[in-house]
Structure formats: C-alpha cells, structure tokens
Amino acid sequence: MAQKMKNKKENEEGFIASPDILVSSKQIFGISDDLQVPAFSHSNDYVPEIDPTYRFNNEVTRAILAGFTYNRKVLVQGFHGTGKSTHIEQVAARLNWACVRVNLDSHVTRTDLIGKDAIVLIDGKQITAFQEGILPWSIQRPVALVLDEYDAARPDVMFVIQRVLEAQGKLTLLDQKRVITPHPYFRIFATTNTVGLGDTSGLYHGTQPINQGQMDRWNIIATLNYLPDAEEIAIILAKCPDYNTTKGKPIVKAMVAMANLTREGFRNGDISVVMSPRTVITWAENAQIFENVDTAFKMTFLNKCDETEKPIIAEYYQRCFAVELLGAVA
C-alpha cells in the first residue's frame, strides 16, 4: 500500500520537508487508475481528520491527485453542498498532507492574505514587526492551500492570488522587499460555484466574473455536481447508519427522490432553491432528532423557501412521501 521514500527530517512545526512514501491511488481512494502518489508517513496538526464514510468521485479524485503529484493548480467547480472542499480535504487527509482552507468572502482583504505590521512583545519590549498572512506562510511550507468561494473574492484579492498562479509562483512582498519562492511541495486548489463567468442562475448572489487571464492559469478544472441516485443514497446511509435498515432505506430513497425533484424544478425555472446532498444529510439527521421526517423537512428546507414556491415543493413532497404537508400552503 505504501512504498517508503528517503526519510526527511521534521522541523519544529511538525512538517517533513517532502513526502517520504508513495501510496497506491487505487487502494487508498478506490479509483480506476492505479497511480503512485507521494504522501507523508505521518500526520501533523494541519492535516484534516479522515472521514471513513467519505465516497470519492473518480474523475475529481484523479484531478486532485494530479494536483498533489505533479504540482498542478486545480479548480473544482460545482453546485453548493456537493462536497468540493471536503473532497480536497479528504484526499489530503489520506496523504497526510497539511491542508489550510481560506474562505474568500468579501471581507477578506489583501492585508489578510499578505500580512501587516503589528506591535509584538519581544523580550518584554513592544516593537513593530511584520506578521505574515496566510499566503506567504503557506507557500513556504509543504501545505495544500484551498481557496473556498474563489468566485466571491474581491478584485484586489484576486490580483494578489494571481501572482502565486504564475508558472514559478513567486510572491513579492513589496513592503518587505522580499521575493518568496514557493516550497517544492506547496500546492494550491480552489472551489467555485460558477465557472468564472458570473452568476447566470440567480442562485449564487455575491459571486462575480473572474478575470479570464486568471482562469487560464488554473491547469485543471474539475466539475463535481450532484451524484447518481445510488451513490447519493450510499453516502447518506454511510453518514446516518441508523437508516441502513429495511425500514430506513426506503425513507432515504424517497429523500433523494425529493431532492432530485427540486433540482429538476430549479433547472426548469419553477423554483429558485435546490436541495444539495448536504441538505439531504441534514434532513436525515434532523428526522432522527425530531423523530418525524415531515417535521424535519419543514425545519431543514421548506421554511427557508419563498412562500409562492411552497405549494410546488409541497407537491413534490406528496409525490415522494404520499403526505400532505400541513401548513405548506398558506
């Protein structure tokens, strides 16, 4: 399963300078291709925890592994709740590769990424010193940096990131008169809901078009959208094993059918919201808490829908569960 490479000395932060083993992608991730992927022999504080129930998408896993193995810059695009960021994290977890996620909402500034001067206490004296931001800190270490909500970032932040996406990826700190060369095993990934052309669906307010020159710097674009029914059902049963019974399986099957109807309704322009796999898992968990599938559905999904769309959603529900949702229609 794991082939040893030359051992590397661990530094004070717990990082090994470079991967010291090779692992089989087929054995570790269950994908069709049997690649030898560099990995670390042990974990540190920055490595995500392994979720043993996680199911890997073959194509997206291959893209992410290419990112880790060949230092390709990988952007994963898809609808919300499909597990884009989690997919990258779970690959990193099984490679024992340190992984840091940054959510690029509109409040993240250039200073947050690069760093700033701050007053620090050294030997009992207050002095002004430069405090590195997450970007220079990450690129100097064997870390996988994941930029979440990449299509929601501010333009000034995007241009800072663009420097790191160059072929050599060097980062210039103008205030410090420093040029940082990336660590050989620094990796960068991003996740988006759109494909860089802005929000054409009305579902993702706050996203914006991405400079196509910057999009061109991403070596690999992978798409992770809603799974086939059987796979989504398997994921929910793995996350909520109490449903893995003769009585529980039909309930989960109906839940996934309900989610698919909302997705079809959204594509047809009938409703403006969709149920993601994350929503279905939350619904299943809430049904165990409230001991009622109908009540859990209202509290998980229906109550956040527009009043004019609730009759349509109630109709979907009736098709799947043969139940009239009391109070669904005003």
Side-chain angles (χ1 to χ4, degrees):
M1 181 178 295
Q3 177 184 339
K4 289 187 177 180
M5 298 168 64
K6 185 177 179 181
N7 192 31
K8 303 293 181 180
K9 187 176 180 181
E10 185 176 315
N11 70 9
E12 65 276 4
E13 293 179 302
F15 290 106
I16 298 176
S18 63
D20 56 344
I21 60 173
L22 292 172
V23 299
S24 164
S25 62
K26 192 169 187 177
Q27 293 180 27
I28 299 297
F29 303 100
I31 65 173
S32 56
D33 294 350
D34 192 9
L35 308 172
Q36 292 299 302
V37 183
F40 295 88
S41 58
H42 64 272
S43 179
N44 62 39
D45 292 341
Y46 298 98
V47 175
E49 292 185 10
I50 291 178
D51 178 357
T53 67
Y54 193 81
R55 298 174 67 89
F56 291 94
N57 175 281
N58 190 79
E59 183 176 310
V60 175
T61 303
R62 290 173 61 193
I64 295 170
L65 289 177
F68 279 107
T69 306
Y70 301 107
N71 193 18
R72 309 304 283 169
K73 300 170 181 67
V74 181
L75 185 146
V76 183
Q77 179 271 333
F79 286 116
H80 64 284
T82 52
K84 301 181 293 297
S85 303
T86 304
H87 207 305
I88 300 168
E89 278 191 326
Q90 287 303 307
V91 171
R94 285 158 176 79
L95 299 178
N96 279 327
W97 207 300
C99 183
V100 176
R101 287 174 59 178
V102 178
N103 193 305
L104 294 180
D105 58 48
S106 60
H107 296 289
V108 174
T109 65
R110 177 186 180 279
T111 301
D112 293 328
L113 287 184
I114 296 296
K116 60 183 178 181
D117 288 329
I119 297 175
V120 295
L121 194 65
I122 298 179
D123 296 330
K125 297 180 180 179
Q126 288 186 343
I127 64 170
T128 300
F130 181 75
Q131 299 293 298
E132 285 184 345
I134 192 64
L135 195 55
W137 182 89
S138 297
I139 71 173
Q140 297 176 84
R141 292 163 175 80
V143 164
L145 179 63
V146 182
L147 304 173
D148 282 332
E149 313 300 341
Y150 185 66
D151 48 357
R154 293 164 38 159
D156 58 327
V157 169
M158 297 294 273
F159 282 110
V160 170
I161 296 169
Q162 184 163 321
R163 305 178 200 170
V164 182
L165 297 177
E166 299 287 350
Q168 300 301 319
K170 293 185 178 183
L171 178 64
T172 302
L173 300 181
L174 297 176
D175 297 342
Q176 301 299 305
K177 299 180 179 61
R178 289 174 57 202
V179 177
I180 301 176
T181 300
H183 189 281
Y185 291 95
F186 166 72
R187 300 292 184 262
I188 187 166
F189 301 87
T191 67
T192 66
N193 293 129
T194 68
V195 289
L197 301 176
D199 179 24
T200 58
S201 67
L203 191 61
Y204 300 114
H205 300 293
T207 58
Q208 53 196 335
I210 299 174
N211 183 312
Q212 288 303 297
Q214 184 163 151
M215 282 294 292
D216 194 50
R217 287 169 168 80
W218 291 97
N219 307 127
I220 298 174
I221 310 292
T223 299
L224 182 62
N225 280 325
Y226 301 125
L227 301 168
D229 289 4
E231 291 188 35
E232 189 166 352
I233 290 170
I235 288 173
I236 296 165
L237 292 176
K239 294 287 186 181
C240 306
D242 289 347
Y243 286 94
N244 200 4
T245 62
T246 303
K247 182 180 179 181
K249 288 179 180 178
I251 295 175
V252 172
K253 185 177 181 180
M255 287 178 169
V256 172
M258 175 64 201
N260 282 331
L261 285 177
T262 67
R263 296 161 191 170
E264 183 181 346
F266 174 77
R267 284 192 291 267
N268 294 337
D270 298 327
I271 59 176
S272 59
V273 290
V274 293
M275 293 183 70
S276 70
R278 182 194 298 132
T279 307
V280 181
I281 292 170
T282 302
W283 177 14
E285 293 170 341
N286 287 344
Q288 292 178 307
I289 294 172
F290 296 110
E291 299 181 347
N292 187 287
V293 174
D294 305 338
T295 300
F297 176 75
K298 293 177 184 178
M299 294 189 175
T300 305
F301 184 72
L302 186 65
N303 289 347
K304 65 183 178 184
C305 298
D306 188 276
E307 289 295 329
T308 61
E309 297 177 357
K310 286 184 179 180
I312 300 174
I313 294 167
E315 180 186 339
Y316 295 162
Y317 197 87
Q318 200 278 333
R319 289 191 216 170
C320 299
F321 288 90
V323 171
E324 293 287 348
L325 286 177
L326 298 179
V329 184

